[in-house]
Amino acid sequence: MRNFNRRRGLLAGLGGVSAAALLAGGACAQDQAAEATQVDAVVVTGSFLRNVKQEDLASPVVSVDQKALTKTGVVSIGDLLRYVPQNIGSMGGVQDLAKGGQDSKDTRSANLRGLGSGATLVLMNGRRVVKSDGYVNLNSLTPPIAVARVETVLDGASATYGADAVAGVFNIITDSRFEGFKTSAQYTYIEDSPAWQVQAMWGAKGDRSRLVASASYTDIERLQNADRAVTNIFNASSGAGANPGAFTLTGRPRAASGGDVVINGVNYSTLYDTYKNAAGTLAVVDPNCGSAETKSVFTPSASGPGYAIGSCAFSFQAQNPIRGASQSGLIHIEGEYDLTDQHTLFLESAIYHQDSQRYGVPSYAQNHNGATPPVVPASNPYNPFGVAVYYVGRPIGSQGLAGLNYNVQRNEANQFHNVVGAKGPLLGDWNYAATLTSSWSSNVFRDHDTDMNLFQAALNGYGGQNCNYRWNGAGVGAVPGQGNCYYLSPFAKDNTTNNPAVLFNIQSEVFTRTVRDMEIADLVIDGTLGKLRLPAGDISGAVGLQWRREGESIHYSDLLRSGYAAFGGPSVDRDADRTIKSVFTEWNLPIVDGMNLDLAVRHEDYGGFKTTNPKASLIWRPNESLSLRASASTAFQAPGLENATNGPISNNVVNITDPVLGTTNFRTVTTIGNADLKPQTSKVHNLGVTWLPVRRASLSLDWWTFKYDNQIAVQNGQAVINAAPNGPQVVRDQSGVAQTIYVTSYNAKSGTQTSGLDIAGSWSFDVGDSTFTLRDNLSYLLKYDIDTGSLVYDGVGRRNNTTTSPSTAAAAPRYRNLSSVDWSMGPHFASATVRYVSGVMDDYAIAITATTKARVKSWTVLDLQYAYAFGQDERYRVTVGAINVFDRAPPSAKYTGYLSSVADPFGRQSYVRLDARF
């Protein structure tokens, strides 16, 4: 009977797709929990029932323990997602301008099934954590050394946990029973971007108390596009975002002598006579466009003379980052105190701090307040045209202040997570757990932007910090171009000779401060119905109440609010909060021996709307080698707090192709809130089977499907300008250049529908004194239908970054597979892991209905690790390894160089780690 129960446990642990089966030998969640403590009943992820084991629940669960985590060689929980093939396209960590992302810090989101980072609920020890970036940053929760296991429910769990658990749950569980002291140090060599991490953990137990504390510090060097061949490509910024800039002649150019203006052999006076428009203006590129000094490329207009009139393209690609530099510290403390022999007080506290630096483009694509671009007056001695000209371009050129090649953006992130609660028995075998949680995050993003008022003043001769120029005009003694007042030249010929004081003065430090907080009060009671039982066992149940308040506050510096920032665009402060009240219940019924039915339902009241979500799951074990399971549920996700207003909520910068002018450049895309959004809902189904054919071997298959209704998506800026180039959502200046595109969230008619197969297998066997374990884990995508708002298309095998696909769509490779082999003998351990992701059609910036031969090819890498334990009780351990041993470059992709959801650009990552425990 004991052996049968263990096989039942293995059936449960391998019941879903088990990353533990791939990485750490297939130890199931409930076995690990039992090893962690023999005293308390364990509440497994996806349930509130402490009297029910994982083997009696049907939802597929991935479980990765500490041993599996250290085997990967990664230094953060977020990077563990490389080894979970059900996770697709996480946000954070690397630059992704194709999606409008400009990551300035070390973050990582979960994104199960490619349904968006907001559709995966992240918990720490079963409790919610505040979203610091619109999603929970996995790297901010707890030091990796403190992780006992990571459990992932690959099934809708809104009936249990409420909003955001659409695609599943990612639960980080810490080792609350650790005693003693252990420490770890790892150095990871990545060419041009090394990283190192130190960690420590201490635990002690008294007669009535337990306390565990852990800490980590991680330092990561920056990595630039110029450091990798795949990203060091020519990405042209043209038109308004170009360098050098463009000028609009407001009259016929004339030299100081009164004659024609001839520059570099081009007669601009006769050019104006021939090509001026009906308004009497003519747009020309900078006279030095296309020169070797400016490193730019001139493309003539189809209707022009072949010179001067057209577009100027410049690539800032090399100056942009792949990822920024960061320094992160984490402290995690948890403890318990037995108030009586039965009632326990527990607490948990986590403190996170990160400083980061993003080295990027030093000058900024110019936005300007109002319809008129900046004017270079005829009186400006650097103006070679002799008439006033409008200027559109990069205010301080390509090299930045005092010859700097980069603009350094800085981010300071702080996060606090505090929990206090009590647990104990009520009546009979019924227990209670009452918890108060307070979770808070703050992000301060600091940047530099051009003050358009000061820029215009400098063009007029009032530049320089000591020039007596005020917001309302020149002060006493201020004379253009005299004394402490200087002229600024926006012409490429003067880029290296402009007065540094003038360039410094027009640049202002700007900041965005974002604070998010969450307070939660929970009460859950669970137990069995006692005498009211079924022939196969006790009926276990849980009921609970939750009160939750979510708050968000975003404040901007004066320049960003004023609308006179060249890059940031007009920003509006906002403060919002909401209160959610929930009631929920769950019941597990052992229908017959080996068959359990689990029923759960949760009702949530958001004030403006209410929702009720049920879930039913059934597991049947007809014999000790076979397990069958099925589940069906509804799940939902509420609109984000930012959509509580119909005003502007964020500004982003995205590469946009103007269908009117034919130019491609970075433009401001402003997202407008939509207070009329409805919650998005989904229907979730799972069918699975696990078979244990022989001793120490397992095979598992799961079919899953998610179908959204009213999915919340964000309009695509390119789609908006394509549909109505001169519509109300596109703001153009007097020259006809698109300055800002307004987008908003909407409820898609049907939303994403996705389904697939998860297949996992493992087999362990002995050869003499050696133990070998073979594992494979495959996620096969059958369907990924995307609703653009106007049509639904099949996204399987596509990049899904077309001109009209919503920004929430993820790349959808059909296959993601991990295979590994482990060997152990005494103090020796070695492993080899092969990661494979199939290729996708590269549909970047093309129509959904169009076909293309361009592809992002498949990616296969090999990871190796060897470890040796030594000393008394093998308390010391040295590990060496390499991720991507053969230094495989990521397959190339249009615009971004590579696709972050398919591959990473880091190359070989060699590491050495030292561990000690006492």
Side-chain angles (χ1 to χ4, degrees), residues 492-509:
K493 64 182 176 63
D494 305 312
N495 273 355
T496 59
T497 58
N498 267 313
N499 190 316
V502 179
L503 295 177
F504 178 82
N505 191 44
I506 66 174
Q507 289 278 291
S508 297
E509 184 174 271

Side-chain angles (χ1 to χ4, degrees), residues 16 56 118 192 220 265 301 308 321 354 408 592 653 661 729 767:
D56 296 323
D192 304 304
I220 301 173
S301 171
Q354 182 185 131
V408 182
V592 296
V653 177
L661 302 179
Q729 289 180 255
V767 178

Side-chain angles (χ1 to χ4, degrees), residues 215-226:
S216 67
Y217 181 83
T218 307
D219 186 282
I220 301 173
E221 293 292 332
R222 64 186 173 98
L223 184 66
Q224 303 297 127
N225 283 331

Side-chain angles (χ1 to χ4, degrees), residues 201-216:
M201 187 175 183
W202 169 84
K205 179 181 179 181
D207 292 338
R208 305 183 68 88
S209 61
R210 291 167 293 279
L211 185 66
V212 179
S214 59
S216 67

Side-chain angles (χ1 to χ4, degrees), residues 178 182 217 375 539 561 576 730 772 801 810 823 827 830:
F178 176 77
K182 63 179 178 178
Y217 181 83
V375 178
I539 299 175
R561 289 200 306 269
V730 179
F772 293 88
N801 201 179
W823 166 79

Side-chain angles (χ1 to χ4, degrees), residues 12 21 66 156 185 230 244 288 363 381 383 445 528 621 633 674 786 870:
Q66 176 65 218
V230 71
N288 274 17
S363 53
N383 182 350
F445 174 65
T528 63
R621 298 170 299 277
S633 65
N674 183 356
I786 298 171
F870 59 96

Side-chain angles (χ1 to χ4, degrees), residues 6 75 195 220 236 366 373 404 424-425 432 469 473 562 576 579 640 647 655 765 783 839 881 903:
R6 174 150 182 87
V75 296
I220 301 173
Q366 185 171 324
L404 292 176
Y432 75 93
Y469 184 85
S562 71
T579 300
N655 219 34
F765 57 92
K783 176 189 285 189

Side-chain angles (χ1 to χ4, degrees), residues 114-129:
L115 296 177
S117 60
T120 301
L121 178 63
V122 176
L123 307 173
M124 184 161 68
N125 291 319
R127 293 178 282 267
R128 286 176 175 263
V129 184

